[in-house]
Amino acid sequence: MISGPFIAVDWGTTNRRAWRIEGGVVTAEERDGRGVTSVPANGWDAEVAGLRDRLGDHPMLLAGMVGSTIGWRAAPYVPAPAGLADLAAHWLAVDGRTVIVPGLSTLAGGRGDVMRGEEVQLLGAAAAGLTPGDALLCQPGTHCKWATMQDGRVAGFVTAMTGELFALLRGGGILAAQLAGEVNAGAAFEAGVAEGRRRDLPAALFGIRTAKLLGLRDDADASSYASGLLIGADVAARLAETPGATVHVLADPVLGGLYATAIHLCGGTAVAVDSHAAFIAGITRLGSFLP
Amino acid sequence: MISGPFIAVDWGTTNRRAWRIEGGVVTAEERDGRGVTSVPANGWDAEVAGLRDRLGDHPMLLAGMVGSTIGWRAAPYVPAPAGLADLAAHWLAVDGRTVIVPGLSTLAGGRGDVMRGEEVQLLGAAAAGLTPGDALLCQPGTHCKWATMQDGRVAGFVTAMTGELFALLRGGGILAAQLAGEVNAGAAFEAGVAEGRRRDLPAALFGIRTAKLLGLRDDADASSYASGLLIGADVAARLAETPGATVHVLADPVLGGLYATAIHLCGGTAVAVDSHAAFIAGITRLGSFLP
């Protein structure tokens, strides 16, 4: 395992988090809105130098969209099944002390899929014993990842653009005005999950409009219902492949709680996992592969 | 049946079509972009007077969103099952020679649904023998209507916002740049239908992004594939309720052809129906109820 300190960065599209890690412990941390889309093409050296100015002149591990075609350097996807050692074997060394963690790809089940950044959290969860080595993991969000883990490695995965669909419906079209309110757990969310389980989104979504026109539901509940509909459709499709599965959910308590409710209503069992601890566990173990 | 001429108007949200009908025959016609959202609150009398100036000083039947809360006057929905006589019995008379055709509502199957304007075409198709009295009818579009007809009346229906979902995905989000191209019938559309049948839109849509990143499909086919995905999910959900059904499709040849392909791939039989003739047949029969 690693002895010296290093810097770990989770560099996403719109946000960035960075940590100094020493002996497996976080000793400094920062987060900002300097996602990859805010960095000009000639600005990467300065960004990385800035991180070292603030967090120490240490080796650095960069994960997330920083390794995509819209990031600093493209680190090609590693095909699943893959574990932490595979990530380290294929990472992209920008220089002797700065490496970019590759994402994962899969072609299982006739569907292609990709992830970039989530793999550190998934593999960290298993490596640290936060989840079993063989398990179904879920990372809710704009692009919700569902990963099947085997022997602590990512065996396969599927991405559902559940959160993005909600954002698009809120941003325009016939439902936008109804979906301005906040999403809450409760009866309306659960009713949405029940409808979402029918996996008939094009019709179910129009039902939100109808409910307003016919006075079938308090329109203040429309956002919660819509969230339930989308999350329910996502969860139901996944649990159709593994009925009654236990799902380990890596998310903040609010979104994780909504997914847990939907998982229970769809016949599964949800277990909450500390997603931050999982990421730190994963990146720390990757750090041990640094020269 | 009616003897004298009358004016029929299909007054939608963004478009308007109007016809002078004499003895069941169209003798004059106009179409423009004066949908209800372009008419100011105090502009309705002038719009109607303008129609009579151009098409003749005749009785007038108005159908579509003109009878909604965003139209001229709200004509309350008539609950299904309903036929032409029910529409006439509940239409809203603005004055002795100007009436607004009400829309339909349904609460069948635990889902509420509404339509406004499409009912004239559906009932006209059955009344004119363009479709059987007992049949499944489909009106593709932004909000695709699927109506179950019994004895020539609308027994129940469901709306799928298939076209609107496509427009939202084209208008923003991670897939927008890929979906700028036109939709064509062919292998990519059919591959989309095959995936859409799995009724797993949140994941299947992300697959469009993945296919580009992994080079799995010519990105010029992304629009056709996405259209197939959405239409396939719509059709599959409907045919799941009536496997192998014959679907009478009322649409222009292009969109109608795409739906016909999806219906065939989902195990049904598609029959194309002249949607314009159906509307004229319906509005002409409603005209016979004019005083």
Side-chain angles (χ1 to χ4, degrees):
Chain A
M1 292 292 285
I2 192 170
S3 49
F6 71 98
I7 298 171
V9 185
D10 183 8
W11 209 327
T13 303
T14 52
N15 291 295
R16 180 176 66 179
R17 295 184 71 177
W19 300 266
R20 184 177 63 232
I21 298 177
E22 301 180 82
V25 177
V26 174
T27 56
E29 178 177 356
E30 66 171 48
R31 68 164 71 195
D32 57 33
R34 298 289 288 168
V36 298
T37 54
S38 71
V39 179
N42 61 357
W44 292 98
D45 287 337
E47 287 294 333
V48 168
L51 286 164
R52 285 200 169 98
D53 284 345
R54 297 188 295 276
L55 295 172
D57 189 28
H58 307 298
M60 191 180 294
L61 273 179
L62 308 172
M65 293 300 285
V66 65
S68 74
T69 53
I70 63 167
W72 187 10
R73 301 274 179 90
Y77 298 105
V78 174
L84 289 165
D86 302 297
L87 293 182
H90 293 92
W91 64 27
L92 188 154
V94 178
D95 57 42
R97 56 206 296 266
T98 311
V99 302
I100 298 177
V101 179
L104 298 183
S105 65
T106 179
L107 288 172
R111 272 179 177 168
D113 214 321
V114 294
M115 65 170 61
R116 200 177 278 285
E118 296 91 347
E119 67 284 350
V120 177
Q121 195 178 80
L122 294 168
L123 294 166
L130 300 170
T131 58
D134 293 342
L136 177 59
L137 272 54
C138 173
Q139 296 165 300
T142 302
H143 299 151
C144 179
K145 302 286 181 189
W146 293 79
T148 303
M149 309 292 291
Q150 289 176 359
D151 292 330
R153 304 168 83 214
V154 177
F157 57 92
V158 60
T159 306
M161 48 186 277
T162 313
E164 176 166 340
L165 282 173
F166 193 44
L168 286 173
L169 292 163
R170 277 184 149 168
I174 199 172
L175 300 182
Q178 288 182 261
L179 302 184
E182 67 178 20
V183 172
N184 297 303
F189 178 83
E190 293 174 18
V193 172
E195 175 66 28
R197 288 183 69 182
R198 295 169 63 165
R199 296 167 63 180
D200 183 15
L201 282 181
L205 287 167
F206 190 80
I208 295 171
R209 172 73 175 159
T210 301
K212 177 183 171 72
L213 293 173
L214 297 181
L216 302 177
R217 185 186 310 113
D218 185 338
D219 208 41
D221 289 332
S223 275
S224 300
Y225 178 86
S227 174
L229 203 55
L230 292 164
I231 293 175
D234 180 5
V235 170
R238 242 47 63 203
L239 291 188
E241 297 160 10
T242 52
T246 295
V247 183
H248 299 265
V249 181
L250 297 100
D252 70 88
V254 174
L255 185 57
L258 294 174
Y259 264 78
T261 297
I263 288 163
H264 288 302
L265 290 173
C266 291
T269 300
V271 178
V273 180
D274 183 333
S275 57
H276 174 66
F279 180 83
I280 298 299
I283 206 76
T284 300
R285 280 160 180 78
L286 280 174
S288 71
F289 292 96
L290 283 168
Chain B
M1 291 292 285
I2 192 169
S3 49
F6 71 98
I7 298 170
V9 185
D10 184 8
W11 210 326
T13 303
T14 53
N15 292 294
R16 180 177 66 180
R17 294 184 71 176
W19 301 266
R20 183 178 64 230
I21 298 176
E22 302 181 81
V25 176
V26 174
T27 56
E29 179 178 354
E30 65 170 48
R31 67 165 71 195
D32 57 33
R34 297 290 288 168
V36 299
T37 54
S38 72
V39 179
N42 62 356
W44 293 97
D45 288 337
E47 286 295 333
V48 168
L51 286 164
R52 285 200 169 98
D53 285 346
R54 297 188 296 277
L55 296 171
D57 189 28
H58 307 300
M60 191 180 293
L61 272 178
L62 308 173
M65 293 301 284
V66 64
S68 74
T69 53
I70 63 166
W72 188 10
R73 301 274 178 89
Y77 298 106
V78 175
L84 289 165
D86 301 298
L87 293 181
H90 293 93
W91 63 28
L92 188 154
V94 178
D95 56 43
R97 55 206 296 267
T98 311
V99 302
I100 298 177
V101 179
L104 298 183
S105 65
T106 180
L107 289 172
R111 273 180 175 166
D113 214 322
V114 294
M115 65 169 61
R116 199 178 278 285
E118 296 91 346
E119 66 284 350
V120 177
Q121 195 178 81
L122 294 168
L123 294 166
L130 299 171
T131 57
D134 294 341
L136 177 59
L137 272 55
C138 172
Q139 296 166 299
T142 303
H143 299 151
C144 179
K145 302 288 181 187
W146 294 79
T148 304
M149 308 292 290
Q150 288 177 0
D151 293 330
R153 304 167 83 213
V154 177
F157 58 92
V158 60
T159 306
M161 47 187 277
T162 313
E164 176 166 340
L165 283 173
F166 193 44
L168 287 172
L169 291 163
R170 277 184 147 169
I174 198 171
L175 301 182
Q178 288 182 260
L179 302 184
E182 67 177 19
V183 173
N184 297 303
F189 178 83
E190 292 174 19
V193 172
E195 174 67 26
R197 288 183 70 184
R198 295 168 64 166
R199 296 168 62 181
D200 183 13
L201 282 181
L205 288 168
F206 190 79
I208 295 171
R209 172 73 176 162
T210 301
K212 177 183 171 73
L213 293 173
L214 296 182
L216 302 177
R217 185 186 309 114
D218 184 338
D219 208 41
D221 290 331
S223 276
S224 300
Y225 179 85
S227 174
L229 203 54
L230 291 164
I231 292 176
D234 180 5
V235 169
R238 244 46 63 203
L239 291 187
E241 297 159 12
T242 52
T246 294
V247 183
H248 299 265
V249 181
L250 297 101
D252 70 87
V254 174
L255 186 56
L258 293 175
Y259 264 79
T261 297
I263 289 164
H264 288 301
L265 290 173
C266 292
T269 301
V271 178
V273 181
D274 184 333
S275 57
H276 175 66
F279 180 82
I280 297 300
I283 205 77
T284 299
R285 281 160 179 76
L286 280 175
S288 70
F289 291 98
L290 283 168

